Amino acid sequence: MYAVLFAETGLSPAAVSSLFVIWSVTTFALELPSGLWADVFSRRLLLVAAPLLAGAGFGLWAFFPSYPAFAAGFVLWGAGSALRSGTMQALVYEELERVGAPGAYARLVGRSEAVSLLAVVAASAVASPVVAAWGYRGLGAASVAACVGCAVAGWFLPESGGVGEGAEEPSFGSVVRQGWAQVRGEPAVRRALVLVMVLEGVTALDEYVPLLVRSTGVAASAVPLLVLVVTVGDAVGGWSAGRGVRWLAPVLGVGAVCLAVGSLGGRPGGLVLVAVAFGVFRWAMAAADARLQARVGDGARATVTSVAGFGAEAVAVLVFAGYALGSRWAGAGVLVGVAAVPYVVVAVVLGLGAWRGRVHPEA
């Protein structure tokens, strides 16, 4: 609802776009430093602070609606997102590793993403009645309360490692050196990084799903329901994470074909295939994340994971720019269908790598 709030406050489309730029720049600028902070300081405390920052921003929007408050809110939200990125993955993987269950990482993270997607759907459903009853201040108060709840949940996350347990306190310099050594000296880490960057970055095309739905010719009132179909497919993929990972290459190829056929067909029924595709991509992203975590050392885990997040954001920007440029000549169906190409390339590269590993296991 925030875009509607901005418009009703009197902001022009250009002013709203400038707010989105502030948001993106903040997240980009803090993505890598936040990974360093997570490797040097308490990850749990960062996960407590992250939603509180976002909640403070939402409070500013609701109670002091103006351009400066909106800009400050996006800075706070972007900072909170950056603090969480890399930190959560590192904390969850290391805690699972300490209890002897690192193999559960993909399943746990995938299911949390699935629950998150369904929670967004539920929140979207109740937003309109909340605004109707209590206005934007009521919606802002509910958003702040939800962020406080996230902070409380973060406080109760386990953190058995870290500073203060007999180990030498890490410095920013030592973490940077260790992270650079892993990326530079470990080909497996570099391959896992690129895989995460591409899969997560290209999947930013989900922002265009409503436009894809509308391009099939359905009535505007039917768009939310058909978007929900794709969201459910996405959630099913997250819930299935951790299973059948050895089939990553062929399943990813199938997902790419489903995306292309479902998008290029131009029919509402094709959105079922698009839903399958997004489910596959969600499942594949969890597998790629788990692969990265399994190859990164603990000392710079959050830093390296933040590098992956930074790269994914960069790929997403290319996706947005490509869509904007391509929209001059093609519709949403064609543009989303073309996005299947990177997934096909990744599937082929993964398949060739698996084949070489079987033929030359010593390589």
Side-chain angles (χ1 to χ4, degrees), residues 76-123:
L76 290 168
W77 191 3
S81 298
L83 286 183
R84 186 182 184 278
S85 176
T87 306
M88 175 64 80
Q89 295 95 319
L91 176 65
V92 171
Y93 188 87
E94 289 181 9
E95 291 305 315
L96 288 173
E97 196 172 41
R98 288 188 176 98
V99 299
Y105 176 82
R107 183 175 69 253
L108 184 62
V109 170
R111 290 188 175 184
S112 71
E113 289 291 337
V115 172
S116 175
L117 287 168
L118 296 178
V120 169
V121 173

Side-chain angles (χ1 to χ4, degrees), residues 78-355:
S81 298
L83 286 183
R84 186 182 184 278
S85 176
T87 306
M88 175 64 80
Q89 295 95 319
L91 176 65
V92 171
Y93 188 87
E94 289 181 9
E95 291 305 315
L96 288 173
E97 196 172 41
R98 288 188 176 98
V99 299
Y105 176 82
R107 183 175 69 253
L108 184 62
V109 170
R111 290 188 175 184
S112 71
E113 289 291 337
V115 172
S116 175
L117 287 168
L118 296 178
V120 169
V121 173
S124 299
V126 301
S128 293
V130 168
V131 170
W134 296 288
Y136 288 110
R137 288 191 174 184
L139 193 62
S143 300
V144 171
C147 290
V148 171
C150 289
V152 172
W155 178 259
F156 286 100
L157 288 172
E159 187 179 31
S160 55
V163 179
E165 297 196 359
E168 182 180 349
E169 182 175 339
S171 65
F172 288 115
S174 65
V175 170
V176 170
R177 288 191 295 271
Q178 186 173 347
W180 173 245
Q182 291 185 44
V183 174
R184 186 170 181 266
E186 299 286 345
V189 173
R190 291 198 299 274
R191 290 193 293 268
L193 267 175
V194 172
L195 180 61
V196 171
M197 290 176 183
V198 173
L199 290 182
E200 293 191 359
V202 176
T203 307
L205 63 89
D206 63 358
E207 299 290 344
Y208 300 108
V209 168
L211 297 180
L212 174 64
V213 173
R214 194 71 178 92
S215 72
T216 62
V218 300
S221 59
V223 171
L225 293 176
L226 291 175
V227 171
L228 180 60
V229 170
V230 179
T231 302
V232 170
D234 200 346
V236 170
W239 195 262
S240 304
R243 301 173 183 173
V245 177
R246 67 183 182 277
W247 301 106
L248 179 58
V251 173
L252 190 58
V254 170
V257 171
C258 287
L259 179 65
V261 174
S263 300
L264 295 172
R267 297 180 179 275
L271 294 169
V272 174
L273 291 177
V274 175
V276 172
F278 275 96
V280 168
F281 301 153
R282 180 68 59 184
W283 169 84
M285 284 190 290
D289 185 13
R291 178 177 294 195
L292 175 62
Q293 299 303 326
R295 287 159 173 75
V296 177
D298 288 350
R301 182 180 301 280
T303 300
V304 176
T305 305
S306 289
V307 171
F310 185 87
E313 290 287 346
V315 173
V317 170
L318 294 177
V319 170
F320 296 148
Y323 190 99
L325 181 63
S327 64
R328 299 176 61 184
W329 299 282
V334 173
L335 294 173
V336 174
V338 169
V341 174
Y343 293 113
V344 171
V345 172
V346 171
V348 170
V349 171
L350 288 173
L352 290 174
W355 177 79

